[in-house]
Amino acid sequence: MASLRDSFAEVLHRVGKEDPNLVVLVGDISHFRLQSFAKACPGRYYNVGICEPTIVNMAAGLSKVGFHPVVHTISPFIIDRSFEQLKLDFCYQKLGGNIVTVGSAFDYANLGCTHHCYGDFAMMKTLPGTQLFYPATEVEFETLFRQVFNQGTLNYFRIPTYGHTHEFKSQQIRCGKAIRIQEGKDLTLIAVGSQLRTALEAMEPLSQWGVTVDLIYIHTVEPFDAALVNESLFKTRKCLVIEEHSVFGGIFDDVLRASHALENVRYASIAIPNNFIREYGTYQQHCQRLGFSVEGILKKVKDELLNYSEVLNNRLSP
Amino acid sequence: MMIMNIELRKRIVELITNAGAGHIPSAFSIIDILAYLYEHVLKFDPKNPHWADRDYFILSKGHGCAALYVILKKYGFISQTDLDEESREQAMLGGHPDSTKVPGAEASTGSLGHGIGTAIGVALGLKIRQQKNKVIVLIGDGESNEGTVWECALVGANLNLGNLCCIIDHNGSSAQIMKIEPLKEKWEAFGWEIYTIDGHNEKEIAEVFKKIKFDYTAKPKVIIANTVKGKGVSFMEVHGPWHYRAPKAEELELIYKELDSHQV
């Protein structure tokens, strides 16, 4: 199966052939993957160098003269290192552009803190008008990218190394709209990006517990689909969010803000604790340790969401 | 001593006095260069500031914006009322230029080391389309402490952005903080075409722009303009106390008196 990074390169190739204003700037990442774009779109591909703030800054200059720039490199080098360029050169000046990163959260598990980035959505949400996406399949990326890349907004796409395998049709994907994957009445499970994979795996054991799940999938972090979330919480009054992001400033915060007027709702979250990840190992090991697992979901549901009486009534057999 | 643009200098002082604060010496060190650029070098249309065939001037050292504002007023981009209202709550003009509000201000600058990156992108975009617009960016020598300036120096040369000219307002600010000499040799080593002028001498400014060919197949250019912070008012020609303040009434009188004394 092609990686999402390969898919990203193929999508740029397709869209670049259609739109002569698409220009790609990279910081020496995915250089070989993007050669098909470079050949098909001469003069519109630049491996600028290892100088991310300048890449972002010059992309804003390209936008100023009418291009639709795509800046691509590893998440922390754009979001953390080049934040002021995103804020001032793009966002404040209302210039449109596209940031497409790999290596968000802990995808580069064993490379340590320098290559981790799990506060990206929190930081980017402070930039008014910015649109944030976490597409975890090719069809999601291509559909969302085509919807927004030339619309004059600053768009951040975080592309995971490990996506999910749920199949969407492009007609299902709309910027700013969450997707109800499964209807249920006992629990709202909100899965963001790649963690739809884990959420889907948890459906069977939750079903065995007698818990019917309203499964909501979020590919667009901003604008946040408060309407669908509230509709679901109004029904279930129980909510678990699973997201590969810091416990601060992710989708869980958006859910709380959107639904605070609803009474008697229980909330739980599986996210990255407010602490540096200092371990190495693999992505899968990080997931297991941090609770991004079926066991993690079941434990949260049992410990924080279901009524004690329900446990006593033996609905659960963990 | 020959001082040019005395009336523009007075307008800068008026503007900052009305506003209650501002960077007079930083504006005085660049006003002669800006006056020449807008009179003789740049193509623009004040009625259509986004005209596609215009040349781009980006003031990267945004704190020198009083010089840009009085020039934009002179050529009809903005009005006297706009100048008079600078820094008021709902004003168009503030203490740094804002591209979202000010016609003719190509970039919102103030945080140093940004305007030059925007200029690199604009120059690259024009080169991709093979358009002939010039791109001129003005940075400070203090601003040249910023790492992004040197990233841009690498990138501009690597991309052969010969349609780009970077003017360095070399007014000695960096020397107060950090040694950046030899500036000429540094930029030369980065691969730019170098020129050095007296930034207060109209003849030298004119000659350098006769020599420079804006051609996107050539090297980018850098003009090291030796300037004096506060040029034209002796007691402001220092680093420190006058950097960011407005004159008091009695100081205002002395400033005007000294500027008038330069009138031929």
Side-chain angles (χ1 to χ4, degrees), chain A residues 178-181 188-191 214-218 228-229 232:
Chain A
I179 299 172
R180 177 177 274 121
I181 306 270
T188 300
L189 178 51
I190 298 174
D214 219 29
L215 179 57
I216 308 287
Y217 176 59
I218 289 191
L228 185 60
V229 166
S232 178

Side-chain angles (χ1 to χ4, degrees), chain B residues 67-260:
Chain B
L68 180 64
Y69 294 163
V70 299
I71 291 282
L72 293 178
K73 156 66 176 61
K74 179 180 174 183
Y75 291 96
F77 286 91
I78 60 176
S79 69
Q80 183 60 45
T81 308
D82 297 324
L83 292 183
D84 293 342
E85 293 177 348
E86 204 246 280
S87 286
R88 291 191 195 167
E89 192 177 5
Q90 301 299 332
M92 171 205 286
L93 307 177
H96 290 104
D98 187 331
S99 67
T100 69
K101 297 179 184 171
V102 185
E106 295 284 4
S108 298
T109 54
S111 179
L112 297 172
H114 284 252
I116 185 169
T118 302
I120 294 267
V122 169
L124 176 61
L126 296 169
K127 179 173 173 158
I128 293 170
R129 293 214 181 99
Q130 302 195 5
Q131 288 178 226
K132 296 198 182 307
N133 323 45
K134 302 181 193 75
V135 183
I136 298 177
V137 59
L138 192 149
I139 68 173
D141 65 354
E143 181 176 7
S144 303
N145 290 182
E146 295 282 2
T148 50
V149 168
W150 301 102
E151 290 182 5
C152 288
L154 286 167
V155 172
N158 195 44
L159 295 175
N160 279 325
L161 298 177
N163 52 349
L164 171 67
C165 173
C166 175
I167 302 171
I168 303 175
D169 175 29
H170 190 219
N171 66 14
S173 289
S174 185
Q176 314 301 309
I177 317 158
M178 176 153 65
K179 182 184 165 192
I180 55 163
E181 303 302 336
L183 205 48
K184 177 173 175 288
E185 286 78 0
K186 284 190 171 88
W187 281 88
E188 212 155 30
F190 274 80
W192 291 52
E193 197 174 294
I194 317 292
Y195 300 88
T196 303
I197 61 167
D198 174 347
H200 299 300
N201 182 317
E202 187 172 15
K203 191 164 164 262
E204 290 193 25
I205 301 171
E207 277 172 5
V208 81
F209 280 104
K210 269 185 213 147
K211 282 185 207 159
I212 284 178
K213 298 284 174 261
F214 286 86
D215 174 354
Y216 44 71
T217 62
K219 284 183 181 181
K221 290 84 175 133
V222 66
I223 300 172
I224 299 171
N226 292 315
T227 57
V228 175
K229 207 167 168 177
K231 176 74 174 180
V233 178
S234 55
F235 59 89
M236 291 172 119
E237 291 179 3
V238 288
H239 293 277
W242 278 95
H243 175 69
Y244 179 71
R245 60 167 287 200
K248 296 174 189 153
E250 61 274 20
E251 292 167 332
L252 198 57
E253 208 172 302
L254 290 174
I255 290 169
Y256 286 145
K257 195 172 161 190
E258 187 165 339
L259 287 172
D260 284 334

